[in-house]
Amino acid sequence: MAGRERMGSMDAAWLQMEEPANLMMITAVLWFDGPMDRERLRTVVQERLVERYPRFRQRVVPGALGAPHWEDATDFDLDAHLSTLRVPVTGGRAALEAVVGDWLGVPLERSRPLWHLHLVKGAARGDVLLARLHHCMADGIALARVLLSLTDPVQADAGSVGSEEVRRVEAAPSVNARAVSSRSGAEPLTTPGWMRLARGARAAFRKGVELVQEPILAGDLVREGARGAAALGKLLALPPDPRSPLRGPLGMRKVAAWSEPVSLARVKAVGQTLGGTVNDVLLTAVTGALRRYLTALDAPLEDMHALVPVNLRPLDEPVPRELGNRFGVVFLRLPVHLDEPRRRLREVAKRMEALKRSPEAVVTSGVLELLGHTPAALERVVVDVMGTKASLVATNVPGPRQPVSLAGARLDGLTFWVPQAGHVGLGVSLFSYAGQVTLGVASDASRVPDPGAVVAAFLEEMEALATVAP
C-alpha cells in the first residue's frame, strides 16, 4: 500500500483517546514451555505479520484538518519492533509481572508503526513474549487472531488446531455463543457508525451482523428501532458508578498479575450443577473477587458496572489486511452486593441474558465512530463521562482449543488486556486456551496497587462455587 490512507473514524477515536496516564494499548503476554530462538521468531514475524498486514509497517501521520492518516514507513526496521529483555531466574512470577506492569505505562513510539514485541528471557519456566499494540490498529479480537496466526499446531493429528483454525479463533468450550447468521440481502456492516445512527437504530439492526464474543457474551441482535433508541437513552441516563477505591484519578504507574490456569472442565461442571453457563460462572467468580477485595479495604459493597467489549466482526470472516475496529460495548452491572455465591450466579446469569438481547453493542459502535469525527478535546469529555458509568473493563477472549507453538516453542498460556478508556483504572481479562482459562488483572497502581490480591480472590471464589455445588 503506497502513499497515505485516511484512518477510519473509529480507529481515530482510539488514537485520540490516548493520554499519558491512560494509554490506548492492547497488551498480550504469552508464556512458553522453554526457550525461544529470537531469529526464528523474527522470521515468523516478518513472514506472517509484517508482510501479511500492512498496518504493521505503517505509521500514523496527521492529515488535513488534523485527521490522522496511515503512511508507509519507508525506513521500517523490524529489529526496532522486536527487542529482548531479561529477568532473573530467581525472580519467579513476580519478576515477570513487574516487567509487564512497567511496560503497560510506556507509550509506543509515534514515529514508528504502533506495535512492539518484547522477548523476555530468564524466566525459570520458559521464555515469555510481551506484545504491545495500539488500539487504533484494530480491536482486541482481531489482534488476538492476528497474533495467534503466528502459531502452528503442536501435533499433526486430526483434531489438532492448525494456524488456519487458530486464525478463526473458534470459540472454546467455555463460550456460550449463540451467533446470528447473516440473512439474505442483509446490508454489510460497512456503513460508518455515525450514518447508521442518523438513519435510525432500525437500519443498524437489519444488518444481520453475527455477534461473537470478544469478551464474555454473544447473543441475538434486536432489530426493532425503538429498542435501539431506548438503549441509547438508557446509556445516556445511566448514573455514575458508586464511589469506591476502584475509581478515581489515574497515575503513570501500572501493575499486572495473572493466575495459574483453571480447568475449563471444572468450571463447566460447576455451571451444570448450579445452573449457569461457563461464562456465568467465571463472571460470578470475578464479581466475588471484587467483593472480597473491597471487603478487605472496608469499602462499601455496592453493585458496579463492567464495560464489556462485544465483537461485531463475523467469526468466519477472515481478518482483513487493513485490520481496523469493529466492536461495541455493553455495560454489565455486577451484583457485588450479593454474598451468597449461588444467588450471585443466578443474578449474573439473569443480567447476562438481558444483555444478550440488547442492541447496546451496535449503538455504542455507532457512538464510537461518531466520536472519531469530533475534535479530540470533545471526544475526551464524552469518553470521560461514559467512563464514570463503569468501574472496570472485562474481556473474555476465546483462544485455540488445542495446544499450539510459536517459532518452535510450545505455548503454555496467554493473558490479554484491552485499554481502560475513560479513565477506568482496572482491566480484568479471561483467556481460554487448550481446555484452561487464565485470569489476568491490569490496573493503575493508584486504584488497585496489588492486582495479585484480585487474582487470589478469584481463585478463592472458584473454590467457593465448587464447594456450594451439591
Side-chain angles (χ1 to χ4, degrees), residues 382-407:
V382 175
V383 170
D384 288 349
V385 170
M386 296 301 288
T388 66
K389 303 174 187 294
S391 298
L392 68 149
V393 176
T395 62
N396 180 6
V397 180
R401 299 179 183 181
Q402 302 293 334
V404 294
S405 66
L406 174 55

Side-chain angles (χ1 to χ4, degrees), residues 11-81:
D11 304 336
W14 286 101
L15 182 69
Q16 294 175 173
M17 282 184 216
E18 182 157 284
E19 298 179 56
N22 200 18
L23 302 178
M24 295 297 104
M25 286 190 308
I26 293 170
T27 304
V29 183
L30 303 83
W31 51 93
F32 300 88
D33 67 353
M36 176 179 287
D37 181 76
R38 184 189 183 282
E39 288 308 307
R40 186 170 178 181
L41 172 65
R42 188 185 188 283
T43 299
V44 171
V45 171
Q46 174 68 34
E47 295 176 352
R48 301 188 188 180
L49 201 66
V50 175
E51 295 179 5
R52 182 176 294 164
Y53 298 101
R55 288 289 179 265
F56 283 84
R57 55 182 187 272
Q58 292 176 322
R59 58 173 154 241
V60 176
V61 295
L65 302 177
H69 283 64
W70 295 107
E71 178 184 77
D72 291 345
T74 56
D75 58 348
F76 175 78
D77 178 9
L78 176 55
D79 291 316
H81 296 264

